[in-house]
Amino acid sequence: MKANIMNMTEGNTVKLLISFSIPMLIGNIFQQLYNLADSVIVGQIIGADALAAIGATGSITFFFFALCNGIGSGGGIITSHFFGEGDDNKVKNCIVNTAFIMIVVPLIIGTIAFFAAKPILIFLNTPESILADSVAYMQIMCCNLFLVSAYNFVSSMLRALGDSKTPLYFLIFSCILNVILDLIFVYNLHLGVIGAGVATLISNILCSILCLIFAFKTNPYFQIKRDSLHLNRDILWKCLKLGVPLSLQFSMIAISCMALQKVVNNFGAVAVAAFTATSRVEQVIHQPYQTLGAALSTYSGQNYGAKKFNRLIQGYKKSMLMMMIFSFAMLPVMQFFSKGIIRLFVNDPQVIEMGSRALQITSWFYVFLGIIYMVRGVLNGVGDAFFSFVNGITEIVGRFTVPFILTAVSFIGLWGIWWSVGVVWFLSAATAWFRYLYVKKRKLIVI
């Protein structure tokens, strides 16, 4: 029954991190294929305006999803602490308390987001030509919020217990189904942007339900008895104490992305389409960093619970080395093959040229993006809630200032959009690095 549970407090550090990361990386890439499938199929079949309509909603839906998923991530980290301590009863009760949070919060936020969709899109200066499609797509994604939160709850609990494989299986199934439904609704039934949204909604319904059922039937920690089936004020408070700052961090990043989206929208539909394509590519680039950071978070959480601090720091250093190897490997790919990558999304020559140059700009800053994820992984793992707040503040201040400054410089202009992305990564990485040095000096005793 415990075959998929991984104890990361013992064994070879690199082997553990890689074996935990690979299934999660594959799963995250498949999760990104939801967005990629919608973007590629809509962009190729309908055109650049339809691609821009989907892209215009990205930062807004990310904001609402971030509010929910940050709280769920907090519960996962607390669960990893209890697992490292070897307290099975607290692990089960933490799963119950996190489930309660992840039922209530998404229902409230999803309802608010559904009715706020159009006013927010108008506020962000969404071009009139794509406004109606953007509103429709965003409202469908708001209905999808509870389903995605349910899946992320199950996957975060399983990963806290060292199981990164089970979520992968259901994501692969769901992604394949999403592509098939996209082709049916968009290509065969000609439902346009709405069809792409409905395809994602149906796929997520099945993914969430099946993953939850499988976890209850196969994972012993999900087989909860009556004595664990209650709300625990202490555990609930711990989950919220860490989850709320994480939620605020993610949501502040999302707000900063909305600020950048507003700058992009001012340059017209071509710029929006190019920015959408480059954002989709960067979402894929994020995945190795994100999965290694998540593996490091689970690794750090379990070793922190077991009070193995030297082993924890060793994992951080080796994660940084792996991250740098990947960053430098991706640089020539983006410099020489960026046009072919953008051509996957759209056939418009203007969009391809603009998106290609944009990828060449941002790829120089990938290593700073990696630093953010590695430091975030280790500090989130030990429960440093203050770091989440500081990192989010840095991101939001940077996104609200740097794009406006750079795009206003005459010889930079439009390209300031993508230069600002790199500059903000650098600022956030520097902030994260200094916070890590401070926490390390305090011997990681931060809870």
Side-chain angles (χ1 to χ4, degrees):
M1 292 288 285
K2 295 192 178 184
N4 286 333
I5 295 173
M6 183 185 294
N7 186 340
M8 303 180 81
T9 62
E10 298 175 353
N12 183 277
T13 297
V14 174
K15 184 178 178 181
L16 284 169
L17 288 169
I18 292 176
S19 62
F20 187 83
S21 296
I22 288 176
M24 194 161 46
L25 173 61
I26 297 170
N28 281 356
I29 289 175
F30 270 94
Q31 192 168 33
Q32 290 305 315
L33 286 176
Y34 275 108
N35 292 330
L36 288 173
D38 287 348
S39 300
V40 171
I41 292 171
V42 167
Q44 293 287 350
I45 295 175
I46 306 175
D49 277 358
L51 176 63
I54 290 178
T57 69
S59 58
I60 310 169
T61 53
F62 174 51
F63 169 73
F64 292 115
F65 278 74
L67 286 173
C68 301
N69 295 334
I71 294 178
S73 298
I77 292 167
I78 300 301
T79 300
S80 72
H81 289 176
F82 291 143
F83 182 79
E85 293 172 8
D87 194 327
D88 290 358
N89 290 329
K90 284 188 177 180
V91 169
K92 292 182 178 182
N93 196 228
C94 193
I95 291 174
V96 171
N97 283 267
T98 306
F100 172 77
I101 295 170
M102 295 304 291
I103 290 172
V104 174
V105 173
L107 287 175
I108 294 173
I109 292 177
T111 302
I112 294 172
F114 183 89
F115 293 104
K118 187 172 182 178
I120 293 174
L121 285 165
I122 292 174
F123 173 75
L124 293 178
N125 298 332
T126 304
E128 187 67 32
S129 60
I130 63 174
L131 180 61
D133 279 344
S134 294
V135 171
Y137 187 81
M138 180 176 165
Q139 288 180 331
I140 294 172
M141 291 301 102
C142 292
C143 297
N144 199 25
L145 181 61
F146 177 78
L147 300 168
V148 173
S149 297
Y151 168 78
N152 285 336
F153 155 71
V154 179
S155 62
S156 68
M157 292 298 109
L158 293 176
R159 287 166 184 161
L161 303 172
D163 178 9
S164 60
K165 294 180 180 178
T166 298
L168 165 65
Y169 304 144
F170 292 98
L171 268 179
I172 292 174
F173 160 76
S174 185
C175 182
I176 294 172
L177 178 62
N178 184 54
V179 172
I180 293 171
L181 293 177
D182 265 336
L183 291 171
I184 292 173
F185 292 153
V186 177
Y187 183 73
N188 291 336
L189 300 180
H190 307 290
L191 296 179
V193 170
I194 294 176
V198 172
T200 301
L201 184 65
I202 294 173
S203 301
N204 281 333
I205 289 174
L206 291 175
C207 180
S208 302
I209 294 174
L210 292 175
C211 190
L212 190 60
I213 291 173
F214 187 85
F216 277 118
K217 286 189 173 292
T218 62
N219 191 292
Y221 289 101
F222 275 80
Q223 294 166 4
I224 298 168
K225 297 180 180 179
R226 184 171 295 180
D227 58 342
S228 298
L229 197 62
H230 64 274
L231 294 181
N232 182 305
R233 183 177 299 178
D234 183 51
I235 291 178
L236 197 63
W237 170 245
K238 285 183 177 180
C239 292
L240 290 172
K241 186 179 179 180
L242 182 57
V244 169
L246 283 172
S247 180
L248 291 175
Q249 176 196 12
F250 297 153
S251 61
M252 282 190 286
I253 292 172
I255 291 172
S256 70
C257 290
M258 283 191 273
L260 180 58
Q261 185 71 55
K262 187 170 184 176
V263 174
V264 175
N265 290 344
N266 290 331
F267 287 93
V270 171
V272 175
F275 184 72
T276 300
T278 58
S279 296
R280 294 293 186 259
V281 174
E282 284 171 7
Q283 284 172 1
V284 175
I285 295 296
H286 276 249
Q287 299 317 304
Y289 301 127
Q290 183 177 327
T291 51
L292 186 56
L296 183 59
S297 181
T298 298
Y299 174 93
S300 300
Q302 290 189 11
N303 282 281
Y304 183 77
K307 295 180 169 52
K308 295 185 177 181
F309 302 123
N310 289 334
R311 180 177 172 83
L312 190 159
I313 294 173
Q314 180 188 47
Y316 166 74
K317 290 179 178 178
K318 292 185 176 180
S319 297
M320 287 286 281
L321 178 60
M322 289 187 281
M323 175 276 294
M324 289 182 181
I325 292 172
F326 173 78
S327 299
F328 291 121
M330 290 308 301
L331 182 58
V333 173
M334 294 301 167
Q335 294 300 314
F336 298 111
F337 302 103
S338 54
K339 283 189 178 180
I341 293 171
I342 297 298
R343 197 173 284 115
L344 293 173
F345 295 87
V346 68
N347 293 317
D348 188 305
Q350 284 183 286
V351 176
I352 293 171
E353 188 65 33
M354 187 182 295
S356 171
R357 185 174 172 188
L359 287 179
Q360 291 171 351
I361 292 171
T362 56
S363 60
W364 290 103
F365 296 87
Y366 284 167
V367 68
F368 300 112
L369 178 64
I371 291 172
I372 296 169
Y373 276 108
M374 296 309 101
V375 176
R376 182 184 296 168
V378 70
L379 294 185
N380 285 348
V382 301
D384 183 9
F386 183 72
F387 162 72
S388 301
F389 176 76
V390 171
N391 195 242
I393 289 292
T394 304
E395 182 95 14
I396 198 169
V397 170
R399 297 280 191 187
F400 269 97
T401 56
V402 177
F404 292 95
I405 294 172
L406 292 182
T407 54
V409 177
S410 58
F411 63 87
I412 299 178
L414 169 72
W415 305 111
I417 294 169
W418 290 280
W419 279 109
S420 71
V421 171
V423 170
V424 172
W425 286 346
F426 170 77
L427 294 174
S428 296
T431 304
W433 176 258
F434 284 117
R435 177 62 182 173
Y436 168 76
L437 294 178
Y438 172 79
V439 171
K440 183 182 177 184
K441 187 177 180 181
R442 295 286 298 274
K443 298 182 179 179
L444 300 172
I445 308 302
V446 293
I447 294 182

